[in-house]
Amino acid sequence: MTTLLFHSDLDDFTTWKEAIERTAPSITVRSTQDAGALEAVTAALVWAPPPGLLRRFPNLKVVINLGAGADSLLRDPTIPPSLPIVRLTDRALIDTVADYVLLYALALHRRQPELAAAQRAQQWTFLPPTPTAMTRIGVMGLGAIGGETARRLAAQGFKVMGWARRPREMTGVECFHGLAPPDLFLTQSDILVNLLPATAQTENLIDSPLLGRLKPGAALINVGRGSAIVEADLLAALDMGHLRHAVLDVFRTEPLPDSHAFWTHPRITLTPHNAGLCHPELSAGFVADVIARSLGGEALPSCVDRIAGY
Amino acid sequence: MTTLLFHSDLDDFTTWKEAIERTAPSITVRSTQDAGALEAVTAALVWAPPPGLLRRFPNLKVVINLGAGADSLLRDPTIPPSLPIVRLTDRALIDTVADYVLLYALALHRRQPELAAAQRAQQWTFLPPTPTAMTRIGVMGLGAIGGETARRLAAQGFKVMGWARRPREMTGVECFHGLAPPDLFLTQSDILVNLLPATAQTENLIDSPLLGRLKPGAALINVGRGSAIVEADLLAALDMGHLRHAVLDVFRTEPLPDSHAFWTHPRITLTPHNAGLCHPELSAGFVADVIARSLGGEALPSCVDRIAGY
């Protein structure tokens, strides 16, 4: 028997507990509020736990991050660098994020923000629809989620470019690589999609110089992390009209503070970090396998690279 | 040489003229404002011309409708029943309408109207994303546009049902047929999509009894014709919350009158009949072929069936 600690403010404890215990009867899943004997906990399945929470469990052998971006764990100084962190990126997470980007890419392509403004002004303003092939989308980050997102956008007829640090090849997606997004990638993007993890390299990546290299009237979708955006620079680009619209799911501080300028900006559509979510039924087997490997001293899949920072 | 009369308030005359004359140099395209000798006009390419316009051309042999729904022509009593009306449904029209339905189906599935209301209220309200397989969409009308729309929704993982008058078979789409939409089709639809033409049979189809058979919390997308909806019944279903939201592109009177209740209803998203548009480059060959066949006395493709009314 082994005990798995579960902590998430967004995911349902009971559903996860039932799915994992059904899949692996030797695992007992307990919540932070009812953790039982701290020594019995050998694994943790968590999303954004309070800093310091995990140090309470002296026999913790592995932490599984309930999502793709493990930056909240990496920011917690009480988690030793030797403790393996495994990222959970299941089919439901990939698909729900790809759905989100497809939804807002189509909305921006079809000028839904302008159409909504016309409705509010009670004005019948015919905007002719254009083929998706007229819109070029640049996807930053081509991991499991970014790759599937780029493929799905291309399947809808959009022109799709992708940028990643390492070279990639994808059918129907023009791939760029390198340490910084190349000029050809930025200057051709009608819609820029950020799917990068929060690292030292991506911190403040989307600033005035980068935004200035986008086409006038380009749009932005951020489903990576809030730390990628210099907020004052984004607001300036929107206010001067260089950027047509921004769709934001992630923010430097979440929940977004009450007084934040993003809430009421007419060129910002914001959602409460709900682009993607893992699914208990799809992930229970993976979680059980990670725990078994950890207890057996075997190599772990999808481990966070502490040097790369994701 | 033959003269083609062009009339549309939405499509660009010069672009169409150039595309057609480049494809078929024996055709001269002229606008209503500069039609030249009325006797020389043997064909017309039109979208919603003013009633009575076409009777001015005594040698008219064929009318090509710049779109799928030819109801505006069928309502014009000055157009003789013997004059063939050809419907133009090119790849651009099919794709732009399918894009539109996919956009708003995703928006309704992801509760975008509720998320937009939360942003306006400056409330961080986490709504968990769900897989598209959790949403069942009923598509009314499985012609060229409805069929492609149903296919594309199914490709995104939605559960898709289709209803048409005649039996159909489509991979990944559960097809129903008959004179009226069957109970199983209506009671299972989370989102109902209307893509039916305006006919005597579809007039007032979407009334209180039909809306009452939908699930509580269902949503509606109307890209067929405004005449399909009993407006007071739709407003009642929205006001009592039985219907969660309606996305409307077509209306009984277009442009929608200034004082109309749809403009400001919090549960209505409306667009200015811009779901789809034909593309000159894609349609020029078809238009030239129809004119050649008409002059040669041959059978015409995509003719409106005056008995069926579409």
Side-chain angles (χ1 to χ4, degrees), chain A residues 10 96 99-100 102-104 106-107 109-110 112 115 118-119 122-132 152 156 249 251 254-256 258 262-265 268-277 279, chain B residues 10 96 99-100 102-104 106-107 109-110 112 115 118-119 122-132 152 156 249 251 254-256 258 262-265 268-277 279:
Chain A
L10 300 182
T96 45
D99 289 342
Y100 181 101
L102 179 59
L103 160 55
Y104 290 105
L106 281 167
H109 164 71
R110 293 297 290 250
Q112 214 279 326
L115 290 165
Q119 179 177 356
Q122 301 188 44
Q123 280 173 352
W124 183 272
T125 308
F126 182 78
L127 299 176
T130 57
T132 48
R152 288 234 250 141
Q156 290 306 318
D249 187 51
F251 307 92
E254 296 177 3
L256 189 68
D258 282 350
F262 285 176
W263 282 112
T264 53
H265 200 287
I268 290 180
T269 296
L270 64 84
T271 51
H273 198 154
N274 75 341
L277 203 64
H279 192 284
Chain B
L10 300 181
T96 45
D99 289 343
Y100 181 100
L102 179 59
L103 161 55
Y104 289 104
L106 282 166
H109 164 70
R110 293 296 290 250
Q112 214 278 329
L115 291 165
Q119 178 177 355
Q122 301 187 45
Q123 281 173 351
W124 183 273
T125 308
F126 183 77
L127 299 177
T130 56
T132 47
R152 287 234 250 144
Q156 291 306 318
D249 186 52
F251 306 91
E254 294 177 6
L256 189 67
D258 283 349
F262 285 177
W263 282 113
T264 54
H265 199 288
I268 290 179
T269 297
L270 63 84
T271 51
H273 198 155
N274 76 340
L277 203 64
H279 192 284

Side-chain angles (χ1 to χ4, degrees), chain A residues 12-284:
Chain A
D12 184 60
F13 169 65
T14 307
T15 319
W16 278 93
K17 176 180 171 66
E18 287 174 2
I20 293 167
E21 293 182 351
R22 199 181 320 118
T23 302
S26 67
I27 299 175
T28 301
V29 184
R30 305 196 73 141
S31 68
T32 314
Q33 291 73 35
D34 178 31
L38 304 182
E39 299 75 16
V41 171
T42 54
L45 175 61
V46 296
W47 176 253
L53 172 73
L54 296 180
R55 74 185 305 181
R56 292 164 49 196
F57 305 93
N59 296 317
L60 202 55
K61 298 283 181 298
V62 63
V63 180
I64 305 171
N65 185 60
L66 233 171
D71 43 295
S72 71
L73 292 172
L74 297 175
R75 276 197 306 271
D76 182 348
T78 71
I79 297 177
S82 58
L83 184 63
I85 298 174
V86 170
R87 298 187 301 155
L88 208 163
T89 310
D90 69 17
R91 194 68 235 171
L93 177 62
I94 295 169
D95 281 342
T96 45
V97 176
D99 289 342
Y100 181 101
V101 176
L102 179 59
L103 160 55
Y104 290 105
L106 281 167
L108 291 166
H109 164 71
R110 293 297 290 250
R111 310 223 157 229
Q112 214 279 326
E114 290 87 337
L115 290 165
Q119 179 177 356
R120 282 194 298 274
Q122 301 188 44
Q123 280 173 352
W124 183 272
T125 308
F126 182 78
L127 299 176
T130 57
T132 48
M134 302 279 282
T135 293
R136 198 174 290 270
I137 303 180
V139 177
M140 302 201 293
L142 294 173
I145 298 174
E148 174 65 14
T149 298
R151 261 186 297 274
R152 288 234 250 141
L153 293 168
Q156 290 306 318
F158 288 110
K159 302 280 188 220
V160 182
M161 303 177 295
W163 167 63
R165 290 194 314 164
R166 289 178 285 249
R168 306 260 174 173
E169 281 203 27
M170 288 178 61
T171 309
V173 177
E174 189 183 358
C175 291
F176 296 82
H177 71 277
L179 285 178
D183 251 337
L184 255 183
F185 173 86
L186 292 173
T187 58
Q188 290 188 99
S189 290
D190 297 301
I191 301 174
L192 184 69
V193 179
N194 177 42
L195 277 160
L196 294 166
T199 67
Q201 284 71 44
T202 63
E203 169 100 27
N204 297 329
L205 175 70
I206 301 172
D207 58 3
S208 284
L210 182 143
L211 293 169
R213 285 150 81 198
L214 299 176
K215 287 182 191 176
L220 173 71
I221 299 176
N222 187 18
V223 274
R225 281 292 180 265
S227 60
I229 292 181
V230 179
E231 296 188 345
D233 291 6
L234 174 63
L235 288 168
L238 290 167
D239 286 340
M240 77 177 78
H242 178 68
L243 208 61
R244 171 162 62 95
H245 203 83
V247 177
L248 309 174
D249 187 51
V250 287
F251 307 92
R252 287 186 178 264
T253 305
E254 296 177 3
L256 189 68
D258 282 350
S259 57
H260 201 288
F262 285 176
W263 282 112
T264 53
H265 200 287
R267 288 186 166 146
I268 290 180
T269 296
L270 64 84
T271 51
H273 198 154
N274 75 341
L277 203 64
C278 293
H279 192 284
E281 296 297 334
L282 295 175
S283 280

